[in-house]
Amino acid sequence: VHIFALVFTNVILAASLRPSLTCGQLNIGHSGFMCVGAYTSALLAKHWSVPFELSLLSGALLAAVAGLAIGYPSLRLRGVYFAMVTVAFVEVIRLVAQLWVPLTRGMSGLSGIPKPNVLGVTLATKTSQYYLALFLMVVTLLVLWKLEKSRLGLIWKSIGMADHLAQSLGVNIARHKLLAFTIGCFFAGVGGAFYAHFIRFLFPPEFGFLVATNILVYNFVGGRGHFAGPIVGAVFLSLLSEPFRGSAYETIFFSIAMLLTILFLPGGIITLPGKLAGLRWGRA
């Protein structure tokens, strides 16, 4: 139950990165927005006894505001230049959490975070928190799926495929990229806020560059071309890498998974059933 609650959190993070990737933006800073949501919700609940619903929403909104602040000046950049900005943001947020000791407790870690409390009922057991994670994941996926299937989602795809052509047709590229980036940051904040109240202990290195790259790998290994890709990638890699969690072998596992996917499944794991069916019919 504990592991699957973490898997659901990873699905939220992976899916929330998809709008930016759809617009062609290589965002390697998602763990920074997760960190903003986690610390905001944890501090509000711990020090000011803010209800869980409000603290989670506050964490998500502050992550979205941080996304606006970072995205507005930098989304005009392309490719590796934008990626470098997001990497820098991750390091800045991690250092702030590490050095602002009076507020975050720094490298000692922020402990004693209250358990989730929904409608006045404290979710004291891991099973009840598991269902909360499932609920948050389903809501996140439904909202993102509706957006992707709407006219807005079509605009995002057109920007990712040919932004100059989309601009020639009257699409405000900068505004739509910023919207996609901000929406993704909001849901990254949701995932971070739940994680804080589920684990009940926050440690700055948890939100570093490695976590950001893992979220990106979920999308590429699962399959960027399909909405279910990030879901498949997050579930597959989270479960298989669980025995290596916290060790150097976890990084090695992710590297091997990424390499094998690029070499043998460029479209991601989501394309594997179709390839197997094609081989079977070819032999027949």
Side-chain angles (χ1 to χ4, degrees):
V1 168
H2 178 88
I3 291 172
F4 269 97
L6 293 176
V7 170
F8 295 157
T9 305
N10 288 339
V11 169
I12 293 174
L13 295 170
S16 63
L17 182 59
R18 181 170 170 79
S20 287
L21 295 178
T22 302
C23 285
Q25 295 292 332
L26 189 62
N27 179 4
I28 319 180
H30 226 46
S31 63
F33 302 105
M34 176 190 179
C35 181
V36 171
Y39 272 96
T40 300
S41 184
L43 291 169
L44 287 175
K46 180 179 180 179
H47 295 306
W48 291 282
S49 301
V50 175
F52 171 75
E53 298 93 328
L54 291 179
S55 68
L56 182 141
L57 182 60
S58 299
L61 288 174
L62 190 58
V65 170
L68 277 172
I70 297 298
Y72 184 77
S74 61
L75 277 168
R76 298 182 186 275
L77 301 174
R78 297 171 181 270
V80 67
Y81 300 105
F82 178 75
M84 290 169 64
V85 170
T86 58
V87 170
F89 172 75
V90 170
E91 289 303 301
V92 168
I93 291 297
R94 183 185 63 81
L95 287 173
V96 168
Q98 181 175 323
L99 299 177
W100 200 349
V101 177
L103 183 66
T104 66
R105 305 300 299 168
M107 293 299 286
S108 298
L110 183 65
S111 59
I113 301 170
K115 294 180 179 179
N117 187 298
V118 180
L119 300 178
V121 178
T122 300
L123 305 182
T125 65
K126 290 292 183 183
T127 302
S128 58
Q129 294 168 20
Y130 161 89
Y131 284 113
L132 174 61
L134 177 62
F135 172 77
L136 291 174
M137 180 190 72
V138 170
V139 170
T140 299
L141 293 177
L142 281 176
V143 172
L144 293 175
W145 183 78
K146 284 288 187 181
L147 288 174
E148 184 164 319
K149 297 300 179 183
S150 68
R151 182 174 180 272
L152 181 61
L154 292 175
I155 293 175
W156 288 345
K157 289 179 182 178
S158 69
I159 293 173
M161 294 173 65
D163 55 353
H164 290 299
L165 180 58
Q167 188 173 26
S168 69
L169 295 174
V171 174
N172 189 325
I173 294 177
R175 185 176 67 186
H176 282 90
K177 282 184 177 180
L178 183 60
L179 180 59
F181 188 72
T182 305
I183 290 173
C185 294
F186 176 87
F187 286 109
V190 170
F194 170 79
Y195 178 83
H197 293 272
F198 181 70
I199 299 297
R200 305 187 65 205
F201 179 81
L202 295 179
F203 187 54
E206 287 183 303
F207 305 99
F209 178 70
L210 179 60
V211 175
T213 54
N214 287 351
I215 297 171
L216 189 65
V217 169
Y218 293 150
N219 280 268
F220 281 90
V221 170
R224 270 192 59 199
H226 303 265
F227 180 80
I231 304 171
V232 173
V235 173
F236 177 76
L237 291 178
S238 297
L239 292 178
L240 287 187
S241 66
E242 184 61 30
F244 311 119
R245 179 178 294 274
S247 70
Y249 295 107
E250 183 178 5
T251 305
I252 296 173
F253 173 82
F254 272 86
S255 301
I256 293 174
M258 189 69 176
L259 180 61
L260 291 176
T261 303
I262 292 172
L263 290 176
F264 301 108
L265 290 171
I269 297 174
I270 197 75
T271 63
L272 182 59
K275 288 185 177 293
L276 292 177
L279 289 174
R280 186 177 61 193
W281 282 108
R283 291 175 180 174

